[in-house]
Each structure stands twice: as structure tokens, then as C-alpha cells.
Amino acid sequence: QRRVMGKSESNMSHKLRLVRGLVAFLASTTGRDKACRTVQYGGRYVSALLRLYSKSFAPALELAEKVDKISSQMGMTRKVLRIGRPIGIAMNLAQKLNDKNQLCGSKRFRVLSDLCLTLYFLLDHVLWLQRIGVLKGNLKQQKLTDWWSELAWFGEIVFSLCAILLELRDEHHTASQASATGSDSKQSTPQYLCSQARWSSLRLDLLRYLLDAPVCLFFMDAIPISSGTAGLLGVVSSLIGAYQSWPTV
């Protein structure tokens, strides 16, 4: 009976931590953006599946259209959540440009990545204002703004991948040196654990950007993949991002 009670209390504690984590996650702007992104791309994937079965299942097409509306609204919601983000990124970018140490090695690519990300958010703000009618712009102009914003996003992805690959190389070199001169007892030191956490984080970042790259190219009409495939890749990327942003409670 004690074992049963212990397991029950452990399950309750785990569920409580999960709920607290979810509340803290959704309370942050980043968490809400990741949640909306997951629904946005998940809707794109589900819509594609429904359209595949629309011939054998009559209501599927109507459901797909409703899912498309939800996905579209999640995209517009994310644009609102991004208001002001370019300011913080631009301030950090200005500090990096004033520091010569930030312009060497992988840090150089981080600076270029931040520059592209700032441009992406600024163009995304313009696109949002065009779509809600604050700025004048026909459909062709909106598509042009959208294309340039996606190009800026692709630049951020490419430069981030370059930085991550260089940082992974440096981490591997440092770990190789430590293992050659150290002992097994060093594997429990804070420095070693921090290095392992950094290694894991970089690998997740690498996977996330590799998944985002074809999605970005799809929006630019640069590669022949289906909307459903782009949606699936976006969902996996979003879940990785949510996992990385999940708070420790």
C-alpha cells in the first residue's frame, strides 16, 4: 500500500510540475510564440492530410478550410507577439559591433545572424501593417514584402548554421583536449557538465535550423516540397524550440 501511495504521490508531483511548467511557458512571450507556431504549422500539416482524403471523406475539404483559417490566424498572432523584438536585438547587435572580440570566429556569424533577424522582424512588421490595411499595398506588394522577409529569415538560418558548426568544432576540440589530459573524475565537475549541456543545446539548435531551412525555401517558392511536408517540418522544429524554451520548475 505504501508503494502504491508513493507512486501516486510521485505521479501527482510530476503532473503538478508539468502544469506549473506549462503556465510559466505560456506566461512568457517566447512560450506563446512557440505554442502559436506549433499550431500554425500543425494546422498546415493537418489541412494537407484532410485534402488528401477529401475524395473519400466529403467533410474533409470543409474541415481543411477551417483548419487553414486557424493556421492563418496563428500566423497573424505571432506577428503581433513580435512587436518590439527588433529593438532588443538591435541593441544587442550594437553592443556586439562595439566589441572587436565579437567580430572573430563564430561570433562573426552570430552578428550577421542577428542583423538578418532584425531585418526579418522589421519587414514582418511592414507586412503585418499591409495586411491589416494600415499601410497601403496591393497583393503583389504584400507578396514582395513577404519574399524579402523570408530571404532575411533564410540569411539568419544560414549564418546561424555557420556559427553552430564552428562552435561545435570548438566544443569538440576542447572536449578532446580535456579527455586526453584529464581523468574520469573530471566528468562530474561543473565545467564538464556545462560543456555537455552546451554541446546538447548546439546539436538541438543545428537540427532546428536544418528543419527550418526547407520551410523557409518553401515559402520563397525555391524548392518543390508540398505544403504538408513544410507543415510537418515546421511542427518538429517548433516542438524542439518549445523544449529548449521550457522552464525548469
Side-chain angles (χ1 to χ4, degrees):
Q1 186 176 3
R2 289 181 178 178
R3 289 181 179 178
V4 173
M5 291 181 63
K7 289 182 179 179
S8 177
E9 290 177 357
S10 177
N11 290 335
M12 287 295 293
S13 177
H14 177 72
K15 291 178 180 178
L16 184 59
R17 286 198 301 271
L18 182 62
V19 172
R20 287 176 176 173
L22 181 61
V23 171
F25 179 72
L26 294 177
S28 67
T29 303
T30 300
R32 290 193 294 272
D33 178 69
K34 299 296 182 185
C36 289
R37 192 180 196 270
T38 304
V39 176
Q40 177 188 1
Y41 285 107
R44 180 177 289 274
Y45 177 64
V46 171
S47 174
L49 287 179
L50 288 171
R51 292 178 190 279
L52 283 176
Y53 294 101
S54 60
K55 292 182 179 179
S56 57
F57 182 60
L61 187 59
E62 183 180 354
L63 287 173
E65 292 174 353
K66 291 180 179 179
V67 171
D68 284 339
K69 291 180 180 179
I70 295 174
S71 178
S72 176
Q73 287 303 311
M74 288 298 103
M76 290 296 289
T77 301
R78 291 183 65 214
K79 294 184 186 303
V80 177
L81 292 174
R82 293 170 187 156
I83 292 177
R85 284 196 64 184
I87 299 174
I89 299 173
M91 291 176 65
N92 291 331
L93 184 60
Q95 292 178 353
K96 290 179 179 179
L97 291 174
N98 289 328
D99 185 359
K100 293 183 179 180
N101 293 326
Q102 296 289 337
L103 301 178
C104 59
S106 63
K107 295 178 181 178
R108 175 189 315 160
F109 290 107
R110 291 293 184 184
V111 169
L112 291 171
S113 173
D114 287 346
L115 184 62
C116 287
L117 189 60
T118 302
L119 181 60
Y120 167 72
F121 283 134
L122 289 173
L123 289 171
D124 195 59
H125 288 358
V126 173
L127 179 61
W128 173 62
L129 292 172
Q130 286 177 336
R131 287 183 175 175
I132 64 175
V134 174
L135 293 179
K136 292 183 179 180
N138 54 35
L139 185 59
K140 184 178 180 180
Q141 291 173 325
Q142 290 181 26
K143 287 184 177 181
L144 184 61
T145 305
D146 191 22
W147 190 89
W148 280 105
S149 70
E150 300 298 346
L151 181 62
W153 181 29
F154 187 69
E156 188 256 338
I157 292 173
V158 171
F159 290 129
S160 293
L161 284 172
C162 292
I164 291 168
L165 290 174
L166 288 175
E167 289 166 8
L168 283 171
R169 183 200 62 182
D170 295 340
E171 288 290 332
H172 178 71
H173 181 67
T174 303
S176 298
Q177 285 184 329
S179 61
T181 59
S183 61
D184 294 338
S185 61
K186 288 189 176 182
Q187 293 186 359
S188 59
T189 61
Q191 293 84 355
Y192 177 82
L193 295 176
C194 182
S195 177
Q196 288 298 104
R198 173 66 174 163
W199 180 263
S200 299
S201 177
L202 285 173
R203 285 188 295 180
L204 284 175
D205 283 339
L206 179 65
L207 177 59
R208 181 164 53 83
Y209 281 115
L210 287 175
L211 290 168
D212 277 341
V215 176
C216 180
L217 291 173
F218 165 76
F219 287 130
M220 295 172 65
D221 294 325
I223 56 174
I225 64 173
S226 66
S227 176
T229 301
L232 180 60
L233 293 174
V235 167
V236 178
S237 170
S238 300
L239 291 175
I240 293 173
Y243 171 78
Q244 291 179 297
S245 304
W246 192 266
T248 303
V249 181

